Amino acid sequence: EGSNAESGKKTLTVYTESGFKPFSYLDKGEVTGFDIDLIDAVLSEAGYEYNLENVGWESMLASVQSGEADLAIAGITMNEDRKQTYDFSQPYFESTHKIVFREGEQITSAKDIKGKKIGVQTGTTGAEAAEQIVGNNDKSISKFESNSLAFMSLQSGDVDVVVTDNVVANEYVKNNPDANLDMITDSETFESEFYGILLPKDTALKEDLDQALQTIMENGTFEEIYQEWFDT
Ligand code: GLN
């Protein structure tokens, strides 16, 4: 682990999982996305240098728990379950779930996924949302290591629907106009949730991140990054 000569702060190890466009994804082999720009702004504001590592979803979570990673960002929802094991920064983005399906499937509310072959990303809040409808580990549910793999399986016809985060669903449907996909949300069933930066428990880093996040939310930097990714 290096340290930044000027500030005396150590160089952080930041993990992400790039199957989550537009928050974290690969563009010509480079990790990019809203979350990548956001963490860059937060850490620069907080005076940290960092190395970004792109890993799988489950190893990302495990590495933050063990402290091998100092933090992770990838549209990670703050929920009670994870708060037992991790700390989170202040929230930075509101989200809910959507159901993406091939045009022609009769799906007008969340409960219509019953009887369908359902694709989700393993260990996500989307997986939980689907399980709340059809039952835990119901055999109609296929769990994929990444959200991108769940979407591929939808396009190939291996699953009928994918339950995932709304902004990621919007992005995928927009970017795949020839796939004949449709989507719905269901505010009666799917609750609103918030993304936060994931941290090991009880670090001093959390306060630095929260302060920097607050600063960039007040000084217009957050808004600039937001506009760049979502309002153009
Ligand atoms: N927001 C979802 C969760 O935290 C999915 C995140 C992701 O796939 N990167 O469970």
Side-chain angles (χ1 to χ4, degrees), residues 7-10 12 39 41-49 71 88-90 197 199 203-216:
S7 67
K9 287 176 175 169
K10 79 167 197 168
L12 300 176
I39 199 65
V42 167
L43 293 180
S44 140
E45 176 61 38
Y48 286 96
E49 296 187 356
L71 61 101
F88 283 94
S89 68
Q90 293 308 301
I197 301 163
L199 296 153
T203 61
L205 182 60
K206 175 176 157 52
E207 202 183 314
D208 285 357
L209 291 191
D210 282 342
Q211 258 176 30
L213 200 49
Q214 170 107 23
T215 302
I216 68 160

Side-chain angles (χ1 to χ4, degrees), residues 3 10 15 45 52 61 85 98 129 137 146 161 163 218-219:
S3 81
K10 79 167 197 168
Y15 275 29
E45 176 61 38
L52 181 67
L61 297 179
T85 313
K98 271 194 169 180
N137 295 314
S146 78
V161 305
V163 181
E218 286 168 3
N219 72 12

Side-chain angles (χ1 to χ4, degrees), residues 42-225:
V42 167
L43 293 180
S44 140
E45 176 61 38
Y48 286 96
E49 296 187 356
Y50 66 96
N51 295 312
L52 181 67
E53 309 256 0
N54 179 27
V55 298
W57 169 250
E58 285 171 303
S59 56
M60 177 184 73
L61 297 179
S63 301
V64 174
Q65 186 175 356
S66 73
E68 185 185 323
D70 294 299
L71 61 101
I73 189 163
I76 305 169
T77 300
M78 318 171 62
N79 63 17
E80 289 313 312
D81 215 27
R82 290 178 188 153
K83 284 179 188 167
Q84 309 290 311
T85 313
Y86 304 94
D87 279 345
F88 283 94
S89 68
Q90 293 308 301
Y92 66 84
F93 201 95
E94 185 171 4
S95 174
T96 184
H97 292 108
K98 271 194 169 180
I99 300 165
V100 185
F101 50 95
R102 287 186 306 279
E103 274 172 14
E105 295 283 353
Q106 289 309 305
I107 294 172
T108 56
S109 74
K111 65 174 176 1
D112 295 335
I113 68 170
K114 275 190 188 162
K116 305 286 180 192
K117 285 182 279 176
I118 303 161
V120 295
Q121 181 182 358
T122 191
T124 59
T125 54
E128 274 171 31
E131 288 185 322
Q132 266 171 25
I133 298 164
V134 301
N136 278 352
N137 295 314
D138 190 85
K139 59 181 182 339
S140 66
I141 298 186
S142 301
K143 294 181 178 176
F144 298 90
E145 165 64 16
S146 78
N147 199 67
S148 311
L149 289 171
F151 277 138
M152 276 187 218
S153 175
L154 178 64
Q155 282 213 40
S156 70
D158 290 337
V159 300
D160 304 319
V161 305
V162 165
V163 181
T164 188
D165 294 17
N166 60 332
V167 173
V168 172
N170 295 345
E171 182 80 13
Y172 190 79
V173 170
K174 184 183 82 189
N175 292 333
N176 292 275
D178 300 334
N180 300 317
L181 299 173
D182 214 338
M183 61 187 166
I184 61 153
T185 188
D186 182 343
S187 55
E188 307 270 287
T189 306
F190 296 138
E191 287 169 8
S192 138
E193 52 185 50
F194 291 89
Y195 297 161
I197 301 163
L198 190 74
L199 296 153
K201 271 248 178 253
D202 302 323
T203 61
L205 182 60
K206 175 176 157 52
E207 202 183 314
D208 285 357
L209 291 191
D210 282 342
Q211 258 176 30
L213 200 49
Q214 170 107 23
T215 302
I216 68 160
M217 282 178 174
E218 286 168 3
N219 72 12
T221 304
F222 183 94
E223 184 60 24
E224 245 171 61
I225 299 170

Side-chain angles (χ1 to χ4, degrees), residues 20-36:
F20 214 57
K21 193 175 182 180
F23 296 98
S24 175
Y25 67 100
L26 289 178
D27 184 21
K28 302 185 188 85
E30 292 278 314
V31 190
T32 185
F34 174 81
D35 280 8
I36 307 306

